[in-house]
Amino acid sequence: MSYFKYKNKNVYYREIGEGKPVMFLHGNAVSSKMFKPILSLYKNNFKVILIDFLGSGKSDRVETFDTDLWIDQGKQVIKLIKYLGYDKVNLIGTSGGAWAAINAALYCPELINKVVADSFDGRKLGDTFKEDLIEERISTKKSIFTKYFYKWCHGKDWENPVDKDTEVLIKMAEEDVPLFYRPIKELSVPLLLTGSMKDEMIKKDFITEYEEMIFEIGAGDIHIFEKGKHPAIISNAKEASKIIIDFLE
């Protein structure tokens, strides 16, 4: 297994295939294993890079997550790109990973080629984010299937990363912390926003939010899927891969 150091801790990464590098960024409470069902759709076109963000999957655990979680994850992305010696890496982030992808591009745009941000709330968390999160996490921890999925993502100590993630997301919502390293209007790399109209885990007006983000940035593309649950790039895997590969190439 391969690791790099970030804040004196081991962060896991993996490389698959050949070609231009594209890094997949996982969402909250899970790990890069979430992408396993769709990697075959991308690995023949790109060198796929996977990362388990600090505190998740095969990476070292942390006592707590800071409330600049997605900004910090963006910095982890840049640290890995520099460690591997790449430049102009494509980023595909979904859910929490979408914020991390945009933050990486805001933090160090010269190292990023294009960004795909999938299935997320946008510039601000939804008004009912905290309540919805608590309800969702209580429900999922009662589900045998979800507990198995969490264990598959993280290992036997799956409750540690899941509970710490829940704690920091609640705190982020309560404190209304900034979600981006710089104002979104300063984003200077090509951006594709994707999502599903049937997504039950993002705010209902996310399409309007996407449109306003693109207007604020001054450029960008949007693709909305009519069907599919959270996240769209997995629930609409084949169609999404065609759209994303076309955008990246």
Side-chain angles (χ1 to χ4, degrees):
M1 291 190 291
S2 299
Y3 294 89
F4 70 99
K5 287 288 186 181
Y6 182 79
K7 294 183 176 179
N8 294 317
K9 290 186 177 293
N10 292 316
V11 178
Y12 170 81
Y13 73 93
R14 181 185 175 198
E15 295 181 279
I16 305 165
E18 298 293 335
K20 294 180 180 179
V22 58
M23 189 182 302
F24 283 79
L25 309 180
H26 65 80
N28 289 77
V30 295
S31 72
S32 61
K33 278 192 173 182
M34 70 171 290
F35 297 116
K36 187 175 181 179
I38 66 171
L39 291 183
S40 62
L41 300 171
Y42 296 89
K43 66 181 183 181
N44 292 330
N45 297 78
F46 303 99
K47 170 170 279 189
V48 171
I49 306 169
L50 301 175
I51 179 175
D52 284 349
F53 288 125
L54 190 60
S56 304
K58 297 177 182 178
S59 295
D60 284 351
R61 300 293 181 252
V62 295
E63 289 297 320
T64 58
F65 290 113
D66 293 333
T67 53
D68 66 345
L69 177 66
W70 295 316
I71 295 174
D72 187 71
Q73 289 177 346
K75 292 179 180 180
Q76 292 177 48
V77 170
I78 296 302
K79 183 70 178 289
L80 176 56
I81 292 172
K82 290 180 177 179
Y83 176 79
L84 294 173
Y86 293 131
D87 60 8
K88 297 303 179 184
V89 175
N90 294 302
L91 301 179
I92 302 175
T94 187
S95 195
W99 279 291
I102 294 174
N103 274 310
L106 288 169
Y107 180 61
C108 207
E110 65 273 16
L111 293 181
I112 308 302
N113 185 41
K114 296 181 179 180
V115 170
V116 179
D118 173 68
S119 303
F120 74 124
D121 281 354
R123 296 165 298 178
K124 187 177 180 180
L125 298 176
D127 293 337
T128 62
F129 178 87
K130 175 183 172 181
E131 293 74 19
D132 293 343
L133 173 72
I134 293 172
E135 181 180 350
E136 183 260 333
R137 292 291 167 89
I138 291 174
S139 175
T140 56
K141 288 187 74 172
K142 292 179 180 179
S143 166
I144 294 176
F145 171 79
T146 308
K147 286 193 287 187
Y148 175 81
F149 178 69
Y150 282 150
K151 186 175 181 180
W152 178 66
C153 283
H154 301 294
K156 293 181 180 180
D157 69 337
W158 64 269
E159 287 188 278
N160 177 293
V162 172
D163 289 346
K164 291 185 186 304
D165 181 75
T166 303
E167 291 170 6
V168 73
L169 290 180
I170 290 173
K171 190 173 182 181
M172 290 167 68
E174 290 176 341
E175 298 180 3
D176 193 24
V177 300
L179 305 182
F180 295 116
Y181 177 73
R182 290 192 178 99
I184 191 69
K185 65 181 181 181
E186 295 184 21
L187 187 70
S188 60
V189 305
L191 174 67
L192 170 64
L193 300 175
T194 59
S196 168
M197 294 178 65
K198 300 295 184 180
D199 193 331
E200 74 290 357
M201 294 182 68
I202 56 178
K203 57 188 180 184
K204 293 181 175 59
D205 63 343
F206 81 94
I207 297 177
T208 300
E209 173 66 14
Y210 278 12
E211 292 171 344
E212 291 179 357
M213 286 178 67
I214 295 301
F215 179 79
E216 189 172 342
I217 294 167
D221 298 308
I222 299 173
H223 187 91
I224 306 299
F225 302 94
E226 293 185 5
K227 299 179 180 180
K229 294 186 177 181
H230 187 83
I233 64 166
I234 291 181
S235 63
N236 295 275
K238 289 185 178 180
E239 184 181 358
S241 68
K242 292 177 183 178
I243 292 165
I244 292 171
I245 290 171
D246 183 63
F247 170 73
L248 296 181
E249 292 187 336

